[in-house]
Amino acid sequence: MTAKPDYERIAHLERELGLVEAPPKPRLRPDKVCLLKGCTGEYDEITAWGSDLVIARLHHH
């Protein structure tokens, strides 16, 4: 009896080793992040644990 391949784990290891390109980070809409319209200042991005999903941007004002 053979075990089924763990495709999710294989994909994760391929990304870690740089064998495939990581998908681009999802971007948040600027009007949902900062109260200043057209803010172009410096910011930090908060991402989900273990992924590149952008949860919030903290602007430095």
Side-chain angles (χ1 to χ4, degrees), residues 30 33-43 57 59-61:
V33 179
C34 186
L35 296 177
L36 299 176
K37 185 174 182 177
C39 175
T40 59
E42 293 184 26
Y43 61 87
R57 286 195 187 120
H59 289 257
H60 304 284
H61 296 284

Side-chain angles (χ1 to χ4, degrees), residues 7-58:
Y7 293 111
E8 185 175 319
R9 174 111 171 108
I10 292 169
H12 175 75
L13 291 172
E14 287 177 342
R15 284 191 305 274
E16 280 187 352
L17 294 171
L19 300 176
V20 295
E21 289 186 28
K25 287 185 177 183
R27 306 310 280 180
L28 295 176
R29 289 179 30 195
D31 59 342
K32 296 270 184 175
V33 179
C34 186
L35 296 177
L36 299 176
K37 185 174 182 177
C39 175
T40 59
E42 293 184 26
Y43 61 87
D44 293 321
E45 288 184 342
I46 298 176
T47 58
W49 183 265
S51 76
D52 292 332
L53 177 65
V54 175
I55 294 175
R57 286 195 187 120
L58 302 175

